[in-house]
Amino acid sequence: MTPLLSVRDLAVSCGIKGQGSGRRTIFSGVSLTVESGKLVAVVGANGSGKSTLLRAVCGLIPPDAGTIALEGTNLAELTCRERARFIAYLPQESEALPFTVEETVLLGRAPWQGFLGLSDQADREAARRAMRLAGVEELAARPLSLLSGGERQRVYWARALCQSPRLLLLDEPTSAQDFGRQVTLMNMLAGLCREHDLAALMVSHDLNLASLYADSLLLLHDQ
């Protein structure tokens, strides 16, 4: 069976400030697969490239070498819309948009909407389901800018779920939550992976949390 995500011999570098054309290798030779229904956690020291790996997988950073494939199709061959229908990316930090919670979550439907980007009843129902799963349904009418950091993080969980992706890329997705909320969110994520053939690639600094919920771990080390 073709894995949902396949990464082979991936290498990414970045420019070195003040050194013109000089570049620093962030990581190289990284390979991994994520199958449908599985949760894979990426762990490692600060600066080892965990967040960069997620950004490369969703197409925000071009790799220097290697391949990224979604169900056997090279990522580079997919349009932005096709990628957005397949992958939802939850970064470590997100800007507080000038919208309500419900409006923010509805942005996740954009890859599935027409040219005018108008939301229909099905979109609104998808948003309500996502808000309920993330525990922010009661905040639907609140401005995003007035929420706490933990509440805002759960809103972006909801937006990612509302996108109806096949693959979730999550960068420290429980960092702003208390322990109870961490367990609730991770139970929900693990359940979605098992029951709805969703796959997830998650960066975590919490080895205990990662080992409890992940089907496998990928350890990145400093170059």
Side-chain angles (χ1 to χ4, degrees):
M1 180 182 295
T2 303
L4 206 66
L5 170 68
S6 177
V7 175
R8 289 285 178 266
D9 295 321
L10 200 68
V12 175
S13 65
C14 66
I16 302 175
K17 188 175 181 179
Q19 294 194 19
S21 60
R23 298 187 67 81
R24 177 179 73 85
T25 298
I26 300 175
F27 59 74
S28 61
V30 171
S31 296
L32 67 102
T33 59
V34 184
E35 297 178 357
S36 181
K38 301 298 183 181
L39 168 59
V40 176
V42 184
V43 298
N46 290 336
S48 58
K50 300 184 298 298
S51 297
T52 300
L53 175 62
L54 293 194
R55 288 170 60 81
V57 168
C58 66
L60 294 176
I61 297 176
D64 297 291
T67 59
I68 302 167
L70 302 177
E71 286 194 325
T73 302
N74 194 307
L75 183 70
E77 297 175 4
L78 299 175
T79 66
C80 290
R81 189 177 183 87
E82 288 171 331
R83 295 179 190 180
R85 287 183 170 186
F86 200 104
I87 297 173
Y89 170 52
L90 181 61
Q92 205 169 125
E93 296 181 0
S94 297
E95 183 181 357
L97 301 171
F99 303 130
T100 66
V101 168
E102 184 175 23
E103 289 168 342
T104 301
V105 175
L106 274 169
L107 292 174
R109 300 305 302 162
W112 304 97
Q113 293 171 341
F115 177 73
L116 296 177
L118 300 177
S119 299
D120 59 17
Q121 184 63 26
D123 293 327
R124 289 187 285 273
E125 289 176 359
R128 282 194 291 271
R129 285 195 300 271
M131 288 188 289
R132 187 165 56 252
L133 283 168
V136 294
E137 190 175 20
E138 74 282 2
L139 303 175
R142 293 273 300 277
L144 194 65
S145 59
L146 298 183
L147 302 186
S148 69
E151 290 170 332
R152 193 180 303 164
Q153 187 178 56
R154 296 201 305 276
V155 172
Y156 287 118
W157 266 88
R159 185 178 70 176
L161 295 174
C162 191
Q163 200 170 322
S164 301
R166 302 285 308 286
L167 173 67
L168 270 171
L169 303 178
L170 308 165
D171 195 350
E172 296 288 350
T174 62
S175 59
Q177 308 300 316
D178 60 35
F179 180 73
R181 285 287 187 182
Q182 288 181 352
V183 171
T184 298
L185 288 170
M186 292 306 301
N187 281 335
M188 178 265 292
L189 177 62
L192 288 174
C193 288
R194 287 193 307 268
E195 298 164 17
H196 298 280
D197 287 333
L198 182 70
L201 183 63
M202 177 186 78
V203 166
S204 179
H205 276 104
D206 190 331
L207 287 175
N208 291 325
L209 200 66
S211 61
L212 279 173
Y213 288 96
D215 294 289
S216 59
L217 301 176
L218 173 69
L219 174 62
L220 293 184
H221 62 81
D222 295 332
Q223 289 290 320

Short mmCIF file of all heavy atoms in Angstrom, two decimals, residues 13-42:
data_model
loop_
_atom_site.label_atom_id
_atom_site.label_comp_id
_atom_site.label_asym_id
_atom_site.label_seq_id
_atom_site.Cartn_x
_atom_site.Cartn_y
_atom_site.Cartn_z
N SER A 13 18.53 23.64 3.52
CA SER A 13 19.54 24.56 4.06
C SER A 13 18.97 25.97 4.05
O SER A 13 17.91 26.24 3.47
CB SER A 13 20.82 24.51 3.21
OG SER A 13 20.58 24.98 1.90
N CYS A 14 19.66 26.88 4.71
CA CYS A 14 19.24 28.27 4.74
C CYS A 14 20.47 29.16 4.60
O CYS A 14 21.60 28.74 4.87
CB CYS A 14 18.48 28.61 6.03
SG CYS A 14 19.49 28.50 7.52
N GLY A 15 20.23 30.40 4.14
CA GLY A 15 21.33 31.34 4.01
C GLY A 15 21.86 31.78 5.37
O GLY A 15 21.12 31.84 6.36
N ILE A 16 23.14 32.07 5.42
CA ILE A 16 23.78 32.54 6.65
C ILE A 16 23.85 34.06 6.61
O ILE A 16 24.44 34.64 5.69
CB ILE A 16 25.19 31.95 6.81
CG1 ILE A 16 25.11 30.42 6.82
CG2 ILE A 16 25.84 32.46 8.09
CD1 ILE A 16 26.48 29.75 6.85
N LYS A 17 23.24 34.70 7.57
CA LYS A 17 23.17 36.16 7.60
C LYS A 17 24.57 36.78 7.58
O LYS A 17 25.45 36.40 8.34
CB LYS A 17 22.42 36.62 8.85
CG LYS A 17 22.12 38.10 8.88
CD LYS A 17 21.28 38.46 10.08
CE LYS A 17 20.95 39.95 10.10
NZ LYS A 17 20.11 40.32 11.26
N GLY A 18 24.75 37.72 6.66
CA GLY A 18 26.01 38.44 6.56
C GLY A 18 27.10 37.72 5.81
O GLY A 18 28.23 38.20 5.73
N GLN A 19 26.78 36.54 5.22
CA GLN A 19 27.81 35.78 4.51
C GLN A 19 27.46 35.57 3.04
O GLN A 19 27.87 34.60 2.42
CB GLN A 19 28.04 34.43 5.19
CG GLN A 19 28.62 34.56 6.59
CD GLN A 19 29.14 33.23 7.10
OE1 GLN A 19 29.40 32.31 6.33
NE2 GLN A 19 29.33 33.14 8.41
N GLY A 20 26.68 36.50 2.48
CA GLY A 20 26.41 36.45 1.06
C GLY A 20 25.76 35.16 0.63
O GLY A 20 24.64 34.85 1.01
N SER A 21 26.48 34.38 -0.18
CA SER A 21 25.94 33.13 -0.72
C SER A 21 26.16 31.94 0.20
O SER A 21 25.81 30.82 -0.15
CB SER A 21 26.58 32.84 -2.09
OG SER A 21 27.98 32.70 -1.96
N GLY A 22 26.73 32.17 1.37
CA GLY A 22 26.96 31.07 2.30
C GLY A 22 25.67 30.48 2.82
O GLY A 22 24.69 31.18 3.04
N ARG A 23 25.64 29.15 2.99
CA ARG A 23 24.43 28.47 3.45
C ARG A 23 24.78 27.48 4.55
O ARG A 23 25.88 26.93 4.59
CB ARG A 23 23.72 27.75 2.29
CG ARG A 23 23.26 28.69 1.19
CD ARG A 23 22.41 27.97 0.15
NE ARG A 23 21.12 27.52 0.67
CZ ARG A 23 20.06 28.30 0.82
NH1 ARG A 23 20.14 29.59 0.49
NH2 ARG A 23 18.93 27.82 1.27
N ARG A 24 23.81 27.25 5.43
CA ARG A 24 23.97 26.29 6.51
C ARG A 24 22.96 25.16 6.32
O ARG A 24 21.77 25.40 6.08
CB ARG A 24 23.73 26.95 7.87
CG ARG A 24 23.82 26.00 9.05
CD ARG A 24 23.59 26.73 10.36
NE ARG A 24 22.19 27.11 10.55
CZ ARG A 24 21.26 26.31 11.06
NH1 ARG A 24 21.56 25.07 11.41
NH2 ARG A 24 20.02 26.75 11.21
N THR A 25 23.43 23.94 6.41
CA THR A 25 22.53 22.79 6.30
C THR A 25 21.73 22.66 7.59
O THR A 25 22.30 22.58 8.68
CB THR A 25 23.33 21.50 6.05
OG1 THR A 25 24.03 21.61 4.81
CG2 THR A 25 22.40 20.29 6.00
N ILE A 26 20.41 22.66 7.45
CA ILE A 26 19.54 22.48 8.62
C ILE A 26 19.39 20.99 8.92
O ILE A 26 19.52 20.56 10.06
CB ILE A 26 18.18 23.13 8.38
CG1 ILE A 26 18.35 24.64 8.14
CG2 ILE A 26 17.23 22.88 9.56
CD1 ILE A 26 17.08 25.36 7.79
N PHE A 27 19.11 20.20 7.90
CA PHE A 27 19.14 18.75 8.03
C PHE A 27 19.36 18.15 6.66
O PHE A 27 19.15 18.80 5.62
CB PHE A 27 17.87 18.18 8.68
CG PHE A 27 16.59 18.51 7.95
CD1 PHE A 27 16.25 17.88 6.76
CD2 PHE A 27 15.70 19.44 8.47
CE1 PHE A 27 15.07 18.17 6.10
CE2 PHE A 27 14.52 19.74 7.81
CZ PHE A 27 14.21 19.11 6.62
N SER A 28 19.78 16.90 6.62
CA SER A 28 19.97 16.20 5.35
C SER A 28 19.72 14.71 5.58
O SER A 28 19.82 14.20 6.70
CB SER A 28 21.39 16.42 4.80
OG SER A 28 22.36 15.92 5.71
N GLY A 29 19.39 14.03 4.49
CA GLY A 29 19.19 12.59 4.56
C GLY A 29 18.00 12.14 5.39
O GLY A 29 17.97 11.01 5.89
N VAL A 30 16.97 12.98 5.50
CA VAL A 30 15.80 12.63 6.32
C VAL A 30 14.81 11.84 5.46
O VAL A 30 14.41 12.29 4.39
CB VAL A 30 15.12 13.89 6.89
CG1 VAL A 30 13.79 13.53 7.54
CG2 VAL A 30 16.04 14.57 7.89
N SER A 31 14.42 10.69 5.96
CA SER A 31 13.41 9.86 5.28
C SER A 31 12.37 9.41 6.31
O SER A 31 12.70 9.12 7.46
CB SER A 31 14.05 8.61 4.66
OG SER A 31 14.97 8.96 3.64
N LEU A 32 11.13 9.40 5.87
CA LEU A 32 10.05 8.93 6.75
C LEU A 32 8.82 8.60 5.91
O LEU A 32 8.69 9.07 4.78
CB LEU A 32 9.70 9.98 7.81
CG LEU A 32 9.05 11.28 7.32
CD1 LEU A 32 7.54 11.27 7.57
CD2 LEU A 32 9.66 12.48 8.01
N THR A 33 7.94 7.80 6.48
CA THR A 33 6.64 7.55 5.88
C THR A 33 5.57 7.71 6.95
O THR A 33 5.82 7.43 8.13
CB THR A 33 6.53 6.14 5.27
OG1 THR A 33 6.77 5.16 6.29
CG2 THR A 33 7.53 5.95 4.14
N VAL A 34 4.42 8.18 6.54
CA VAL A 34 3.27 8.26 7.42
C VAL A 34 2.10 7.61 6.70
O VAL A 34 1.71 8.04 5.62
CB VAL A 34 2.91 9.72 7.78
CG1 VAL A 34 1.75 9.74 8.78
CG2 VAL A 34 4.11 10.47 8.36
N GLU A 35 1.56 6.56 7.29
CA GLU A 35 0.46 5.83 6.69
C GLU A 35 -0.87 6.36 7.20
O GLU A 35 -0.96 6.96 8.27
CB GLU A 35 0.59 4.34 6.99
CG GLU A 35 1.84 3.71 6.40
CD GLU A 35 1.96 2.24 6.75
OE1 GLU A 35 1.10 1.74 7.49
OE2 GLU A 35 2.91 1.60 6.27
N SER A 36 -1.90 6.15 6.42
CA SER A 36 -3.24 6.55 6.81
C SER A 36 -3.60 5.91 8.15
O SER A 36 -3.32 4.73 8.39
CB SER A 36 -4.22 6.10 5.73
OG SER A 36 -5.53 6.49 6.04
N GLY A 37 -4.18 6.72 9.05
CA GLY A 37 -4.57 6.22 10.36
C GLY A 37 -3.49 6.29 11.41
O GLY A 37 -3.72 5.89 12.55
N LYS A 38 -2.31 6.82 11.06
CA LYS A 38 -1.18 6.83 11.98
C LYS A 38 -0.81 8.24 12.41
O LYS A 38 -1.00 9.22 11.69
CB LYS A 38 0.04 6.16 11.34
CG LYS A 38 -0.18 4.71 10.92
CD LYS A 38 -0.50 3.82 12.12
CE LYS A 38 -0.64 2.36 11.71
NZ LYS A 38 -0.98 1.49 12.86
N LEU A 39 -0.23 8.33 13.61
CA LEU A 39 0.31 9.57 14.16
C LEU A 39 1.81 9.38 14.38
O LEU A 39 2.23 8.47 15.10
CB LEU A 39 -0.38 9.90 15.49
CG LEU A 39 0.22 10.99 16.37
CD1 LEU A 39 0.29 12.32 15.65
CD2 LEU A 39 -0.56 11.13 17.68
N VAL A 40 2.60 10.22 13.74
CA VAL A 40 4.05 10.17 13.86
C VAL A 40 4.52 11.45 14.54
O VAL A 40 4.13 12.55 14.13
CB VAL A 40 4.73 10.01 12.48
CG1 VAL A 40 6.24 10.06 12.61
CG2 VAL A 40 4.30 8.70 11.83
N ALA A 41 5.34 11.32 15.57
CA ALA A 41 5.86 12.48 16.30
C ALA A 41 7.32 12.71 15.92
O ALA A 41 8.11 11.77 15.82
CB ALA A 41 5.74 12.27 17.80
N VAL A 42 7.66 13.99 15.72
CA VAL A 42 9.03 14.39 15.42
C VAL A 42 9.60 15.03 16.68
O VAL A 42 9.05 16.00 17.20
CB VAL A 42 9.09 15.40 14.26
CG1 VAL A 42 10.53 15.74 13.91
CG2 VAL A 42 8.36 14.84 13.04
#
